[in-house]
Amino acid sequence: MRRFNLLAALLALAVCIYPLLGKKKKPEEITQTLALPQDPPATVTAETGRLVFHVSPLSPKGLLSQQVRDALKALLKSSGAASIVKLRAFVAGSGDLRRVPAIVSETFAEKHLALPAVSVVQVGALPMMGAQVVIESIAVAKKETNPLGLVFVSGQAGSSDTPLVKVAPLAQKSMADLKTALTAAGALPADVLRITCFCSSLEDYAAVRAIVEPDYQRAALNFVQIQRAPFRGVVECEAVAKATRRIPARLQFENPPGLTASPNFSHLALVSAPRVVLTGTQVAYGYQDSDARLAFQRLAKALEAGGSSVKDIAFAGFYPLSASIAEQVRRIRFEFFDKSRPPAATMLPFEGLPAMDAGFGVDVVAIAK
């Protein structure tokens, strides 16, 4: 009887264990972690002779994220085989400016393309109802397009102390001075690659464009309103053109007759250096002089890491958020720049930057050592 009970117990145990012998252990579920978008580089170096310039078309469709993706798609298509190395995005409205570099990173990673340097600035308006972003691109073409180099023209301004003035007459003054600068550089309208016009108002945008477009149909044109409620009337147009005469120095500054010379900037920067360094925006976080110095120090370090220096800057774009901060920039920058050879520059007050405590932003084009 005892032997029978033991045998029965063993059989019962076998019945319980047998189904488990062939059952495979369920694998542990693997949780996928998405990689964070890579930050765009602080600088990108490119060949001067192969740079080409484009501006994205405006679109009213969707929110900011969709419009950024559509603008990038259009720029990649228009660039063709050229590799985009710099993007400057002007954002209107209340969208999160920090999304722009993230979307750039995602888009370029999906296409296995090298990331460009990126600048993002908030403006007051764009010349299409519902449009929230316009993006300028600089790309490197397969073939040489600017064999003698490039000419960078500082913003040429027509201004008025009255903010509500019609800006078409101011655009005429701006374009007259721009023509004087280009003529001094030996550039014809057909040599101009890009013109960006910063306006206090776009209410008479059609009239402003009609002043600019006829002579510069081959150029990429961009028009933005700098602030929602500017304190003065202004149209200030900057330009990039092909050099048409040999430039004796790698970087040469000129102030043509007929234009008022300024101690703060040169009207023309002529670049024959074979390579240039393009930066993204360096932002001053805060409003004290020490905050401004830190921004310039970061710019200097980025340029050094990219193979250039603040003494080699050809063109600087400044984006202060008030007139008082613009004065601060004028004071501080010559602690870093060469006051005897100030770079070409454009500086106007803008609506915002991708940081709540931003005072100003700066991006530059410098010659590579």
Side-chain angles (χ1 to χ4, degrees), residues 57-94:
L58 295 171
S59 170
K61 297 179 181 178
L63 301 177
L64 176 61
S65 294
Q66 179 183 337
Q67 291 191 18
V68 171
R69 290 189 176 92
D70 290 345
L72 293 174
K73 181 179 179 181
L75 288 172
L76 288 167
K77 182 177 180 180
S78 61
S79 297
S83 302
I84 294 176
V85 290
K86 172 67 190 285
L87 295 170
R88 181 168 67 165
F90 295 105
V91 178
S94 57

Side-chain angles (χ1 to χ4, degrees), residues 167-173 175-176 205-216:
V167 298
L170 306 182
Q172 291 176 328
K173 170 66 165 60
M175 296 310 295
Y205 161 69
V208 172
R209 189 174 186 105
I211 292 167
V212 177
E213 192 170 34
D215 289 335
Y216 301 101

Side-chain angles (χ1 to χ4, degrees), residues 20-202:
L20 300 176
L21 295 177
K23 192 173 182 179
K24 294 183 179 179
K25 185 179 180 182
K26 186 178 180 180
E28 292 184 12
E29 190 173 325
I30 299 173
T31 303
Q32 184 178 9
T33 303
L34 297 177
L36 293 174
Q38 184 180 352
D39 289 333
T43 64
V44 175
T45 302
E47 294 183 38
T48 311
R50 295 198 287 143
L51 294 184
V52 293
F53 300 78
H54 295 95
V55 175
S56 68
L58 295 171
S59 170
K61 297 179 181 178
L63 301 177
L64 176 61
S65 294
Q66 179 183 337
Q67 291 191 18
V68 171
R69 290 189 176 92
D70 290 345
L72 293 174
K73 181 179 179 181
L75 288 172
L76 288 167
K77 182 177 180 180
S78 61
S79 297
S83 302
I84 294 176
V85 290
K86 172 67 190 285
L87 295 170
R88 181 168 67 165
F90 295 105
V91 178
S94 57
D96 187 352
L97 275 65
R98 295 170 297 179
R99 285 291 297 144
V100 177
I103 294 170
V104 170
S105 181
E106 293 166 5
T107 301
F108 278 67
E110 288 170 1
K111 297 183 178 298
H112 306 288
L113 299 172
L115 281 177
V118 178
S119 295
V120 184
V121 182
Q122 186 180 25
V123 295
L126 296 174
M128 178 183 286
M129 185 69 69
Q132 296 187 52
V133 68
V134 61
I135 305 178
E136 299 175 346
S137 72
I138 305 176
V140 180
K142 294 293 184 182
K143 297 181 180 179
E144 191 173 55
T145 56
N146 321 304
L148 298 179
L150 291 172
V151 176
F152 293 89
V153 185
S154 294
Q156 303 297 315
S159 62
S160 168
D161 291 333
T162 305
L164 300 179
V165 70
K166 289 286 187 180
V167 298
L170 306 182
Q172 291 176 328
K173 170 66 165 60
S174 173
M175 296 310 295
D177 287 351
L178 184 67
K179 184 176 181 180
T180 298
L182 290 167
T183 301
L188 297 172
D191 300 314
V192 177
L193 303 172
R194 187 183 73 202
I195 294 177
T196 304
C197 289
F198 302 107
C199 309
S200 56
S201 172
L202 291 175

